[in-house]
Amino acid sequence: MFKALFASLRLAVAIVCIGLSLVLAGLWLDLFERPLRMVAFFTVSGVAVYWVFILGVMRSFEVAQVVPDRIREALDTLSEGLLVIDERDRIVLANESFSRMVGIDQEHLIGRRPGSLAWDCSAIAGDKNYPWMRAIEHHEPQIEQLLRFKRHDGKMRFFSVNASPVSGEDRKTRGALSTFRDVTASEEYRAQREHSLAMLRTSRDEISNRNRELQILASKDALTGCLNRRAFSEAFDEIWKTMQSTGQAVSCLMIDNDHFKNVNDTFGHPVGDEVLRQVASILNDQFSPPTLVCRYGGEEFCIVMPDTSIEAAIEQAEQVRSSIEAVQLAAVPELRLTASIGVSESCYGAASPQALIAQADECLYRAKDGGRNQVIAFES
């Protein structure tokens, strides 16, 4: 310390001497009008430099002497980083492990505020939220607080921080003791694992969505969007089991587009396909789950309505017939559509889903034989 004091004194004297030399040279050359001011300026400058240097040295000396050398040497053997912070939020001691962690020499850490280091403060609002400041303010330990630190080389390190308040003989908090454990490897592994889990969840969701799409594609008719025969049969079997256990009525409609072959032959298959899409749209709009709407084959559609009486089924069938009759295609305005519909209900003794469909199908053919564009109900 005394060497530093003598060095600063020599620096101050040198500044004053250089200043006086310049003033004397200026007087000899008649360059200065007010030499006393110049002398005063250089004298004050030298004294100011001296005192600034002295204050810095004394401050460093004050902080460095808080902890004895033998204790500092013992703390340097710890594998965890350690800071001793006084009540003015200054670093009194930083061991070698902490110095290596942050990439800053120990002597450059002493006297600094720990919050001024390159912490990632995105999750910290103000200095009082650092663990050591909370320990001082609330007089209680702060355990396993995670902080991120950006080194000079740009690498991000993760520290698990513990901070405990340090009390004096009067039991007043005089500062804090903080330890720093480098958990970068475990945090990077955790982040990588969470990323992998997120990717797995995304893949799982995508697979589930694809499976649902495949199930829909496997159960729906591609042209009309109605149920195909396989999916319809499976769903009808479940409805039939429920009907047998509850005794609720189940009604069935069989619908056939009249003269559909003539539509294909006269206007072409694209128009025929559009007719089927129009009819399917009417059926899907009029009936909603748990009613089943199926493209049964070619131009035929089958409707199964749980908990529906024969009277309600006939009324629904008439609405369908009227809606089909009202269809007009802009591409072929001269085309007129009609449909024949057969209706039956489980109360007429059908022993199976296929038997109920057969009853409705029988009524359908009676409607077609009777002139088409009409609804015929099954009679026991």
Side-chain angles (χ1 to χ4, degrees):
M1 175 181 176
F2 292 107
K3 291 182 179 180
L5 292 176
F6 285 126
S8 64
L9 182 60
R10 285 198 299 269
L11 176 63
V13 171
I15 292 175
V16 172
C17 291
I18 292 172
L20 291 175
S21 299
L22 292 174
V23 170
L24 292 175
L27 289 174
W28 185 66
L29 298 173
D30 292 329
L31 297 178
F32 301 127
E33 296 180 0
R34 299 177 179 179
L36 291 179
R37 286 191 178 184
M38 296 300 297
V39 172
F41 170 76
F42 282 103
T43 301
V44 170
S45 298
V47 173
V49 169
Y50 175 74
W51 278 109
V52 168
F53 188 79
I54 287 297
L55 289 175
V57 171
M58 292 299 295
R59 181 169 173 269
S60 298
F61 179 75
E62 173 192 356
V63 173
Q65 293 304 310
V66 172
V67 181
D69 289 341
R70 56 189 176 84
I71 295 179
R72 287 201 300 269
E73 291 174 359
L75 295 178
D76 282 339
T77 63
L78 297 176
S79 60
E80 289 190 348
L82 183 140
L83 289 182
V84 178
I85 303 156
D86 66 14
E87 68 274 13
R88 291 177 292 176
D89 189 25
R90 294 188 308 169
I91 297 175
V92 174
L93 180 144
N95 70 350
E96 288 186 4
S97 294
F98 183 82
S99 174
R100 287 194 302 270
M101 286 178 176
V102 299
I104 301 175
D105 294 337
Q106 287 176 279
E107 58 268 23
H108 294 155
L109 290 168
I110 303 302
R112 292 183 61 175
R113 296 175 63 238
S116 67
L117 302 179
W119 304 108
D120 178 8
C121 299
S122 57
I124 298 177
D127 288 346
K128 289 188 177 181
N129 280 316
Y130 286 108
W132 48 87
M133 293 305 297
R134 290 201 300 270
I136 294 173
E137 182 179 3
H138 301 296
H139 313 291
E140 60 183 22
Q142 304 295 311
I143 307 299
E144 297 293 332
Q145 304 294 305
L146 188 66
L147 290 181
R148 295 196 302 174
F149 185 87
K150 188 174 183 180
R151 291 172 53 95
H152 293 307
D153 56 11
K155 293 182 179 179
M156 192 69 71
R157 310 301 294 177
F158 293 85
F159 297 141
S160 177
V161 183
N162 293 323
S164 298
V166 176
S167 300
E169 294 180 356
D170 55 0
R171 296 186 179 180
K172 291 184 179 181
T173 301
R174 299 301 184 186
L177 177 69
S178 291
T179 60
F180 299 79
R181 182 164 54 91
D182 193 329
V183 293
T184 304
S186 60
E187 283 298 311
E188 289 177 347
Y189 172 76
R190 182 187 61 80
Q192 183 179 8
R193 184 181 60 183
E194 289 182 354
H195 177 68
S196 298
L197 289 174
M199 291 182 64
L200 288 174
R201 284 192 292 268
T202 300
S203 298
R204 183 191 61 192
D205 293 341
E206 290 179 354
I207 291 172
S208 297
N209 291 334
R210 292 292 178 85
N211 285 338
R212 282 193 292 270
E213 292 173 0
L214 290 174
Q215 288 174 356
I216 291 172
L217 291 174
S219 63
K220 295 296 182 70
D221 173 65
L223 178 64
T224 63
C226 300
L227 291 173
N228 58 30
R229 287 280 292 272
R230 182 188 60 80
F232 170 75
S233 296
E234 292 175 357
F236 195 178
D237 287 342
E238 293 299 319
I239 290 174
W240 192 263
K241 291 177 183 178
T242 302
M243 180 270 296
Q244 288 179 319
S245 62
T246 62
Q248 293 179 344
V250 176
S251 292
C252 178
L253 308 183
M254 284 296 293
I255 305 167
D256 184 86
N257 292 286
D258 294 331
H259 305 296
F260 185 73
K261 184 177 183 303
N262 291 338
V263 173
N264 281 331
D265 293 343
T266 304
F267 302 102
H269 288 281
V271 174
D273 290 346
E274 181 60 25
V275 167
L276 294 176
R277 281 192 288 265
Q278 291 286 338
V279 172
S281 178
I282 291 171
L283 298 178
N284 286 321
D285 288 344
Q286 183 168 328
F287 300 103
S288 58
T291 295
L292 306 179
V293 179
C294 170
R295 184 185 178 189
Y296 203 71
E299 70 273 19
E300 287 187 336
F301 294 85
C302 185
I303 312 295
V304 171
M305 296 177 286
D307 195 20
T308 304
S309 66
I310 187 67
E311 293 80 13
I314 292 172
E315 182 178 351
Q316 294 268 38
E318 283 292 348
Q319 292 178 10
V320 169
R321 187 196 61 79
S322 298
S323 297
I324 293 174
E325 189 176 24
V327 170
Q328 289 186 338
L329 300 181
V332 281
E334 67 274 20
L335 177 62
R336 292 292 179 265
L337 301 179
T338 60
S340 300
I341 305 176
V343 185
S344 186
E345 195 223 301
S346 54
C347 65
Y348 293 124
S352 66
Q354 288 301 320
L356 183 60
I357 293 173
Q359 289 177 352
D361 198 43
E362 177 185 335
C363 295
L364 168 63
Y365 280 97
R366 285 168 52 195
K368 294 178 74 70
D369 292 341
R372 294 184 172 84
N373 194 24
Q374 59 183 311
V375 175
I376 298 296
F378 187 81
E379 296 177 359
S380 57

